[in-house]
Protein backbone atom coordinates (compact mmCIF):
# COMPACT_ATOMS: atom_id res chain seq x y z
CA UNK A 1 0.00 0.00 0.00
CA UNK A 2 1.16 3.52 -0.64
CA UNK A 3 0.92 5.16 2.74
CA UNK A 4 2.62 8.25 1.34
CA UNK A 5 -0.61 9.35 -0.28
CA UNK A 6 -2.50 9.29 2.98
CA UNK A 7 -2.45 12.24 5.30
CA UNK A 8 -3.28 11.49 8.89
CA UNK A 9 -3.02 13.77 11.87
CA UNK A 10 -0.54 11.77 13.90
CA UNK A 11 0.46 14.74 16.02
CA UNK A 12 -2.02 16.08 18.56
CA UNK A 13 -4.67 18.26 16.92
CA UNK A 14 -7.57 18.29 19.36
CA UNK A 15 -9.63 19.34 16.39
CA UNK A 16 -12.88 17.55 17.01
CA UNK A 17 -15.78 19.13 18.78
CA UNK A 18 -16.91 18.35 22.30
CA UNK A 19 -19.43 15.54 22.34
CA UNK A 20 -21.22 13.16 24.59
CA UNK A 21 -18.16 11.23 25.66
CA UNK A 22 -18.56 8.98 28.69
CA UNK A 23 -16.04 8.15 31.41
CA UNK A 24 -16.41 4.76 33.10
CA UNK A 25 -14.81 4.62 36.54
CA UNK A 26 -15.20 2.97 39.91
CA UNK A 27 -14.29 3.56 43.52
CA UNK A 28 -12.92 0.03 43.71
CA UNK A 29 -9.62 1.33 42.32
CA UNK A 30 -9.22 3.64 45.29
CA UNK A 31 -9.47 1.03 47.98
CA UNK A 32 -7.67 -1.98 46.50
CA UNK A 33 -4.06 -2.91 45.80
CA UNK A 34 -2.16 -5.90 44.46
CA UNK A 35 -0.05 -5.73 47.62
CA UNK A 36 2.81 -3.67 48.99
CA UNK A 37 5.55 -5.17 46.83
CA UNK A 38 3.65 -5.17 43.52
CA UNK A 39 4.01 -2.46 40.85
CA UNK A 40 0.20 -2.09 41.00
CA UNK A 41 0.34 -0.88 44.58
CA UNK A 42 0.24 2.66 43.17
CA UNK A 43 -3.05 4.53 42.65
CA UNK A 44 -4.03 5.00 39.02
CA UNK A 45 -7.71 5.22 38.02
CA UNK A 46 -8.69 6.90 41.29
CA UNK A 47 -6.12 9.63 40.65
CA UNK A 48 -7.46 10.12 37.13
CA UNK A 49 -10.95 10.55 38.55
CA UNK A 50 -9.72 13.03 41.18
CA UNK A 51 -7.63 14.99 38.70
CA UNK A 52 -10.40 15.16 36.11
CA UNK A 53 -12.85 16.34 38.78
CA UNK A 54 -10.38 18.95 40.05
CA UNK A 55 -10.18 20.28 36.51
CA UNK A 56 -13.99 20.40 36.28
CA UNK A 57 -13.86 17.82 33.49
CA UNK A 58 -16.00 15.10 35.04
CA UNK A 59 -19.56 16.33 35.60
CA UNK A 60 -21.99 13.69 36.86
CA UNK A 61 -23.69 13.47 33.48
CA UNK A 62 -20.50 12.25 31.84
CA UNK A 63 -19.54 9.72 34.54
CA UNK A 64 -20.77 6.15 34.82
CA UNK A 65 -19.95 3.76 37.63
CA UNK A 66 -18.65 0.59 36.07
CA UNK A 67 -20.89 -2.42 36.57
CA UNK A 68 -19.15 -5.54 37.86
CA UNK A 69 -19.36 -8.36 35.34
CA UNK A 70 -20.99 -11.51 36.62
CA UNK A 71 -19.30 -14.89 36.11
CA UNK A 72 -21.76 -15.74 33.32
CA UNK A 73 -20.69 -12.65 31.37
CA UNK A 74 -17.02 -13.52 31.80
CA UNK A 75 -17.68 -16.98 30.37
CA UNK A 76 -18.49 -15.34 27.05
CA UNK A 77 -14.74 -15.46 26.47
CA UNK A 78 -13.00 -17.05 29.47
CA UNK A 79 -12.99 -20.76 30.33
CA UNK A 80 -15.72 -21.59 32.86
CA UNK A 81 -13.29 -23.50 35.11
CA UNK A 82 -11.02 -20.51 35.33
CA UNK A 83 -13.84 -18.04 36.05
CA UNK A 84 -15.04 -20.32 38.85
CA UNK A 85 -11.54 -20.61 40.30
CA UNK A 86 -10.96 -16.85 40.23
CA UNK A 87 -14.32 -16.24 41.89
CA UNK A 88 -13.57 -18.82 44.56
CA UNK A 89 -10.01 -17.54 45.04
CA UNK A 90 -11.37 -14.18 46.13
CA UNK A 91 -13.72 -15.80 48.66
CA UNK A 92 -10.89 -17.93 50.03
CA UNK A 93 -8.58 -14.94 50.31
CA UNK A 94 -11.22 -12.91 52.12
CA UNK A 95 -11.70 -15.84 54.50
CA UNK A 96 -7.95 -15.89 55.19
CA UNK A 97 -7.36 -19.22 53.45
CA UNK A 98 -4.40 -19.86 51.16
CA UNK A 99 -5.13 -20.79 47.56
CA UNK A 100 -4.57 -24.40 46.51
CA UNK A 101 -0.97 -24.83 45.41
CA UNK A 102 -2.07 -26.37 42.11
CA UNK A 103 -3.87 -23.18 41.09
CA UNK A 104 -0.54 -21.43 40.69
CA UNK A 105 0.46 -23.62 37.77
CA UNK A 106 -2.98 -24.40 36.42
CA UNK A 107 -4.55 -20.93 36.62
CA UNK A 108 -1.63 -18.56 37.29
CA UNK A 109 -3.32 -17.48 40.53
CA UNK A 110 -1.32 -16.73 43.66
CA UNK A 111 1.90 -15.90 41.82
CA UNK A 112 4.19 -12.89 42.23
CA UNK A 113 2.67 -11.16 39.21
CA UNK A 114 -0.92 -12.24 39.90
CA UNK A 115 -1.08 -12.45 43.69
CA UNK A 116 -4.04 -13.33 45.87
CA UNK A 117 -5.67 -10.17 47.23
CA UNK A 118 -9.10 -9.42 48.65
CA UNK A 119 -10.46 -7.83 45.46
CA UNK A 120 -8.84 -10.27 43.04
CA UNK A 121 -12.18 -11.12 41.40
CA UNK A 122 -14.25 -8.00 41.88
CA UNK A 123 -11.59 -5.55 40.70
CA UNK A 124 -10.86 -7.19 37.33
CA UNK A 125 -14.56 -8.04 36.97
CA UNK A 126 -15.23 -4.30 37.34
CA UNK A 127 -12.81 -3.51 34.52
CA UNK A 128 -14.42 -6.22 32.43
CA UNK A 129 -17.91 -5.00 33.28
CA UNK A 130 -16.95 -1.49 32.21
CA UNK A 131 -15.68 -2.73 28.88
CA UNK A 132 -18.72 -4.90 28.22
CA UNK A 133 -20.99 -1.99 29.15
CA UNK A 134 -19.06 0.36 26.89
CA UNK A 135 -19.25 -2.11 24.01
CA UNK A 136 -22.97 -2.73 24.37
CA UNK A 137 -23.70 0.99 24.80
CA UNK A 138 -21.70 2.07 21.76
CA UNK A 139 -23.04 -0.72 19.57
CA UNK A 140 -26.54 0.68 20.07
CA UNK A 141 -25.44 4.15 18.96
CA UNK A 142 -24.45 5.42 15.57
CA UNK A 143 -21.35 7.00 17.08
CA UNK A 144 -19.64 7.89 20.34
CA UNK A 145 -16.56 7.65 22.52
CA UNK A 146 -16.12 6.00 25.90
CA UNK A 147 -13.06 6.07 28.15
CA UNK A 148 -12.52 3.04 30.39
CA UNK A 149 -9.21 3.73 32.14
CA UNK A 150 -9.63 0.62 34.33
CA UNK A 151 -9.70 -1.52 31.18
CA UNK A 152 -6.86 -2.67 28.98
CA UNK A 153 -5.77 -5.92 30.66
CA UNK A 154 -4.39 -7.31 27.42
CA UNK A 155 -2.34 -10.21 28.82
CA UNK A 156 -5.25 -12.16 30.32
CA UNK A 157 -5.67 -15.62 28.78
CA UNK A 158 -8.80 -17.69 28.35
CA UNK A 159 -7.93 -20.07 31.13
CA UNK A 160 -5.35 -18.33 33.28
CA UNK A 161 -4.09 -15.08 34.77
CA UNK A 162 -0.96 -13.56 33.27
CA UNK A 163 1.12 -10.41 33.52
CA UNK A 164 -0.90 -8.59 36.24
CA UNK A 165 -4.11 -9.40 34.28
CA UNK A 166 -6.69 -11.74 35.79
CA UNK A 167 -9.23 -11.25 33.02
CA UNK A 168 -8.88 -9.97 29.48
CA UNK A 169 -11.37 -7.12 29.42
CA UNK A 170 -10.27 -6.17 25.91
CA UNK A 171 -11.19 -9.58 24.51
CA UNK A 172 -14.47 -9.45 26.43
CA UNK A 173 -15.20 -5.96 25.06
CA UNK A 174 -14.42 -6.91 21.47
CA UNK A 175 -16.53 -10.06 21.89
CA UNK A 176 -19.39 -7.93 23.22
CA UNK A 177 -19.14 -5.55 20.25
CA UNK A 178 -19.38 -8.55 17.97
CA UNK A 179 -22.33 -10.06 19.82
CA UNK A 180 -24.10 -6.72 19.66
CA UNK A 181 -23.94 -6.87 15.89
CA UNK A 182 -20.79 -5.06 14.81
CA UNK A 183 -18.53 -7.03 12.49
CA UNK A 184 -15.47 -4.99 11.50
CA UNK A 185 -13.39 -4.08 14.56
CA UNK A 186 -9.94 -2.56 15.03
CA UNK A 187 -7.75 -2.95 18.11
CA UNK A 188 -4.70 -0.72 18.51
CA UNK A 189 -2.33 -1.24 21.44
CA UNK A 190 0.46 1.22 22.27
CA UNK A 191 1.32 -0.23 25.68
CA UNK A 192 5.04 -0.99 26.18
CA UNK A 193 4.20 -4.71 26.25
CA UNK A 194 2.89 -6.94 23.47
CA UNK A 195 -0.87 -7.55 23.50
CA UNK A 196 -0.39 -11.30 23.60
CA UNK A 197 -3.80 -12.23 25.02
CA UNK A 198 -5.67 -10.16 22.45
CA UNK A 199 -3.60 -11.48 19.56
CA UNK A 200 -4.25 -15.06 20.68
CA UNK A 201 -7.95 -14.32 20.93
CA UNK A 202 -8.41 -12.82 17.46
CA UNK A 203 -5.52 -14.03 15.30
CA UNK A 204 -7.95 -16.25 13.39
CA UNK A 205 -10.57 -13.56 12.84
CA UNK A 206 -10.09 -11.57 9.62
CA UNK A 207 -12.68 -9.01 10.74
CA UNK A 208 -10.65 -7.94 13.78
CA UNK A 209 -7.54 -5.90 12.99
CA UNK A 210 -4.95 -6.27 15.79
CA UNK A 211 -2.05 -3.81 15.87
CA UNK A 212 0.47 -3.82 18.73
CA UNK A 213 3.48 -1.49 19.07
CA UNK A 214 5.69 -2.59 21.95
CA UNK A 215 9.25 -2.66 23.28
CA UNK A 216 11.39 -5.42 21.76
CA UNK A 217 13.01 -8.00 24.02
CA UNK A 218 10.60 -7.39 26.86
CA UNK A 219 8.15 -9.74 28.59
CA UNK A 220 6.05 -11.57 27.34
CA UNK A 221 8.66 -11.97 24.54
CA UNK A 222 5.95 -12.53 21.93
CA UNK A 223 4.69 -10.10 19.30
CA UNK A 224 7.29 -10.66 16.62
CA UNK A 225 7.26 -8.73 13.36
CA UNK A 226 6.40 -11.89 11.45
CA UNK A 227 3.14 -12.73 13.27
CA UNK A 228 0.30 -12.35 10.78
CA UNK A 229 -2.67 -14.24 12.12
CA UNK A 230 -4.91 -14.63 9.08
CA UNK A 231 -3.49 -11.38 7.70
CA UNK A 232 -5.10 -9.24 10.40
CA UNK A 233 -2.23 -9.09 12.93
CA UNK A 234 0.47 -6.40 12.78
CA UNK A 235 3.20 -6.29 15.42
CA UNK A 236 5.89 -3.66 15.58
CA UNK A 237 8.58 -4.29 18.18
CA UNK A 238 10.48 -1.05 18.83
CA UNK A 239 13.89 -0.47 20.46
CA UNK A 240 14.63 1.24 23.75
CA UNK A 241 14.34 4.99 23.70
CA UNK A 242 11.41 5.01 21.23
CA UNK A 243 10.62 8.71 20.86
CA UNK A 244 7.76 10.99 19.80
CA UNK A 245 9.05 11.44 16.24
CA UNK A 246 9.22 7.68 15.85
CA UNK A 247 5.66 7.28 17.08
CA UNK A 248 4.47 9.84 14.53
CA UNK A 249 6.19 7.79 11.82
CA UNK A 250 4.62 4.57 13.14
CA UNK A 251 1.21 6.19 13.27
CA UNK A 252 1.45 7.63 9.75
CA UNK A 253 2.81 4.49 8.12
CA UNK A 254 1.24 1.65 10.11
CA UNK A 255 -1.52 2.50 12.56
CA UNK A 256 -3.61 5.09 10.72
CA UNK A 257 -3.47 3.60 7.20
CA UNK A 258 -4.21 0.06 8.37
CA UNK A 259 -7.14 1.15 10.54
CA UNK A 260 -8.47 3.36 7.73
CA UNK A 261 -8.23 0.50 5.22
CA UNK A 262 -9.94 -1.93 7.59
CA UNK A 263 -13.19 0.02 7.59
CA UNK A 264 -13.84 -0.54 11.28
CA UNK A 265 -17.26 0.02 12.80
CA UNK A 266 -15.55 0.45 16.16
CA UNK A 267 -11.99 0.96 17.39
CA UNK A 268 -10.57 -0.04 20.75
CA UNK A 269 -7.38 1.87 21.61
CA UNK A 270 -5.35 0.44 24.49
CA UNK A 271 -3.41 3.39 25.88
CA UNK A 272 -1.11 1.76 28.39
CA UNK A 273 1.03 4.42 30.06
CA UNK A 274 4.18 2.36 30.44
CA UNK A 275 5.70 3.58 27.17
CA UNK A 276 6.12 7.01 28.78
CA UNK A 277 9.67 8.08 29.62
CA UNK A 278 9.12 8.03 33.40
CA UNK A 279 7.78 4.50 33.63
CA UNK A 280 9.86 2.26 35.91
CA UNK A 281 9.06 -1.03 34.12
CA UNK A 282 9.90 -0.21 30.49
CA UNK A 283 12.60 1.69 28.60
CA UNK A 284 10.65 3.65 26.02
CA UNK A 285 10.81 7.46 25.93
CA UNK A 286 7.50 8.83 24.75
CA UNK A 287 5.86 11.99 26.01
CA UNK A 288 2.10 11.90 26.53
CA UNK A 289 1.81 13.97 23.34
CA UNK A 290 2.62 10.79 21.41
CA UNK A 291 -0.44 9.01 22.80
CA UNK A 292 -2.66 12.02 22.11
CA UNK A 293 -1.35 12.07 18.55
CA UNK A 294 -2.41 8.46 18.00
CA UNK A 295 -5.77 9.21 19.58
CA UNK A 296 -6.30 12.21 17.30
CA UNK A 297 -5.38 10.15 14.26
CA UNK A 298 -7.75 7.30 15.11
CA UNK A 299 -10.74 9.35 16.20
CA UNK A 300 -12.03 10.15 12.67
CA UNK A 301 -11.41 6.63 11.34
CA UNK A 302 -14.46 4.92 12.87
CA UNK A 303 -17.76 6.13 14.31
CA UNK A 304 -17.22 4.43 17.67
CA UNK A 305 -14.15 4.51 19.88
CA UNK A 306 -13.34 2.96 23.25
CA UNK A 307 -10.09 4.06 24.89
CA UNK A 308 -8.71 1.93 27.70
CA UNK A 309 -5.87 2.19 30.14
CA UNK A 310 -3.42 -0.68 30.48
CA UNK A 311 0.08 -0.79 31.93
CA UNK A 312 1.64 2.20 33.62
CA UNK A 313 3.50 2.13 36.93
CA UNK A 314 4.51 5.73 37.58
CA UNK A 315 1.43 7.12 39.30
CA UNK A 316 2.04 10.71 38.14
CA UNK A 317 2.62 10.00 34.47
CA UNK A 318 -0.25 7.50 34.38
CA UNK A 319 -2.72 9.96 35.90
CA UNK A 320 -1.64 12.80 33.62
CA UNK A 321 -1.87 10.69 30.45
CA UNK A 322 -5.25 9.16 31.11
CA UNK A 323 -6.69 12.47 32.33
CA UNK A 324 -5.36 14.19 29.20
CA UNK A 325 -6.99 11.48 27.08
CA UNK A 326 -10.28 12.09 28.81
CA UNK A 327 -9.85 15.83 28.31
CA UNK A 328 -9.29 15.29 24.63
CA UNK A 329 -12.23 12.88 24.24
CA UNK A 330 -14.53 15.30 26.02
CA UNK A 331 -13.33 18.33 24.08
CA UNK A 332 -11.45 20.19 26.81
CA UNK A 333 -8.77 22.81 26.43
CA UNK A 334 -5.47 21.54 27.82
CA UNK A 335 -4.08 23.89 30.48
CA UNK A 336 -0.45 25.05 30.30
CA UNK A 337 -0.24 24.89 34.06
CA UNK A 338 -2.55 22.95 36.34
CA UNK A 339 -4.79 24.97 38.64
CA UNK A 340 -4.03 24.60 42.39
CA UNK A 341 -6.72 21.97 43.11
CA UNK A 342 -5.45 19.76 40.32
CA UNK A 343 -1.83 20.21 41.31
CA UNK A 344 -2.79 19.23 44.87
CA UNK A 345 -4.17 15.91 43.60
CA UNK A 346 -0.81 15.06 42.03
CA UNK A 347 1.14 16.33 45.04
CA UNK A 348 -0.90 13.92 47.16
CA UNK A 349 0.13 10.84 45.18
CA UNK A 350 3.03 8.57 46.16
CA UNK A 351 4.77 5.32 45.29
CA UNK A 352 3.21 3.59 48.33
CA UNK A 353 6.49 1.98 49.26
CA UNK A 354 9.82 1.24 47.68
CA UNK A 355 12.69 3.65 47.30
CA UNK A 356 11.85 5.35 44.05
CA UNK A 357 12.62 9.05 43.62
CA UNK A 358 9.98 11.73 43.80
CA UNK A 359 8.84 13.00 40.40
CA UNK A 360 10.15 16.04 38.59
CA UNK A 361 8.12 19.08 39.57
CA UNK A 362 6.52 19.36 36.14
CA UNK A 363 4.77 16.02 36.73
CA UNK A 364 2.73 17.82 39.41
CA UNK A 365 2.33 21.25 37.81
CA UNK A 366 1.48 20.40 34.19
CA UNK A 367 -0.74 17.97 32.32
CA UNK A 368 1.02 17.80 28.96
CA UNK A 369 4.69 16.83 28.69
CA UNK A 370 7.26 18.74 26.73
CA UNK A 371 7.70 17.01 23.35
CA UNK A 372 10.33 14.26 23.23
CA UNK A 373 11.36 14.25 19.58
CA UNK A 374 14.39 12.46 18.19
CA UNK A 375 15.79 10.77 15.12
CA UNK A 376 13.64 8.14 13.44
CA UNK A 377 15.99 5.17 13.54
CA UNK A 378 16.61 2.96 10.53
CA UNK A 379 15.53 -0.17 12.38
CA UNK A 380 12.05 1.30 12.74
CA UNK A 381 11.87 2.50 9.12
CA UNK A 382 12.95 -0.95 7.90
CA UNK A 383 10.35 -2.76 9.99
CA UNK A 384 7.63 -0.37 8.85
CA UNK A 385 8.58 -1.02 5.23
CA UNK A 386 8.28 -4.77 5.81
CA UNK A 387 4.81 -4.32 7.30
CA UNK A 388 3.75 -1.98 4.47
CA UNK A 389 4.64 -4.64 1.91
CA UNK A 390 2.16 -7.13 3.29
ZN1 LIG B 1 2.48 -2.86 29.67
Amino acid sequence: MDAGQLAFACAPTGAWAAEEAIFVGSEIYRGSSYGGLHPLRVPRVSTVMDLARALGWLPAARYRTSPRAKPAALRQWHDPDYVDALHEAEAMTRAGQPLPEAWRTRFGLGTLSNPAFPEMFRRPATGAGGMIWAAETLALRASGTIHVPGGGTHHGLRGRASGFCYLNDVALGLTALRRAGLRRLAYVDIDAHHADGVELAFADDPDVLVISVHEEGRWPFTGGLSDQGVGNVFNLPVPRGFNDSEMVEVCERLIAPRVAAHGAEAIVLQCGADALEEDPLARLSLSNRAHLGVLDALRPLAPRLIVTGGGGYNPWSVARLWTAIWGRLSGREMPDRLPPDAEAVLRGVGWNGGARPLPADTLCTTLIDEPRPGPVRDVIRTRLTLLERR
Side-chain angles (χ1 to χ4, degrees), residues 154-155 189 191-194 218-219 270 272-275 282 310-313:
H154 56 174
H155 299 305
D189 188 310
D191 189 283
H193 301 89
H194 173 232
R218 183 163 293 289
W219 190 92
Q270 200 269 22
D274 44 10
Y313 308 96

Side-chain angles (χ1 to χ4, degrees), residues 31-291:
S32 61
S33 163
Y34 279 43
L37 298 176
H38 196 285
L40 285 178
R41 67 184 177 273
V42 299
R44 305 191 320 152
V45 178
S46 55
T47 313
V48 175
M49 289 159 53
D50 293 345
L51 189 52
R53 288 200 174 107
L55 286 161
W57 290 1
L58 203 49
R62 301 269 65 82
Y63 180 82
R64 292 288 181 285
T65 295
S66 179
R68 186 191 307 167
K70 295 196 165 54
L74 302 176
R75 290 187 201 110
Q76 295 292 343
W77 188 75
H78 285 281
D79 288 342
D81 286 357
Y82 173 63
V83 173
D84 291 347
L86 181 61
H87 199 226
E88 203 179 330
E90 179 176 280
M92 293 170 76
T93 303
R94 292 175 96 85
Q97 299 167 16
L99 304 188
E101 187 65 30
W103 286 13
R104 198 172 299 177
T105 45
R106 183 173 172 200
F107 297 124
L109 295 173
T111 64
L112 280 178
S113 61
N114 290 85
F117 69 101
E119 297 83 13
M120 65 188 294
F121 176 82
R122 62 191 70 188
R123 177 166 153 158
T126 298
M131 284 297 286
I132 294 167
W133 182 86
E136 292 176 345
T137 300
L138 277 189
L140 289 174
R141 298 184 180 185
S143 64
T145 59
I146 301 183
H147 190 202
V148 191
T153 53
H154 56 174
H155 299 305
L157 302 174
R158 271 186 205 277
R160 61 182 288 126
S162 179
F164 311 169
C165 305
Y166 295 80
L167 298 167
N168 195 317
D169 55 62
V170 173
L172 286 160
L174 289 165
T175 300
L177 285 166
R178 174 63 55 72
R179 285 169 58 84
L182 303 189
R183 191 169 68 87
R184 300 285 286 180
L185 306 174
Y187 174 68
V188 177
D189 188 310
I190 54 175
D191 189 283
H193 301 89
H194 173 232
D196 57 341
V198 184
E199 180 180 321
L200 276 169
F202 295 101
D204 297 332
D205 188 335
D207 286 324
V208 181
L209 176 69
V210 179
I211 298 176
S212 179
V213 180
H214 45 266
E215 186 178 347
E216 66 186 3
R218 183 163 293 289
W219 190 92
F221 307 109
T222 52
L225 193 65
S226 58
D227 290 6
Q228 299 206 25
V230 288
N232 60 318
V233 172
F234 295 85
N235 284 320
L236 180 67
V238 297
R240 283 182 175 196
F242 185 57
N243 62 52
D244 286 4
S245 311
E246 290 173 327
M247 182 58 107
V248 169
E249 181 93 359
V250 168
C251 184
E252 287 177 346
R253 292 180 57 188
L254 171 66
I255 297 174
R258 287 293 175 186
V259 172
H262 190 68
E265 295 163 271
I267 298 170
V268 176
L269 170 62
Q270 200 269 22
C271 246
D274 44 10
L276 291 167
E277 164 83 14
E278 300 85 0
D279 194 84
L281 264 61
R283 295 290 183 85
L284 305 182
S285 298
L286 298 179
S287 79
N288 57 21
R289 291 171 187 260
H291 300 71

Side-chain angles (χ1 to χ4, degrees), residues 67 106 145 287-288 298 341 363-364 367:
R106 183 173 172 200
T145 59
S287 79
N288 57 21
L298 289 178
D341 286 359
L363 285 191
C364 293
L367 191 65

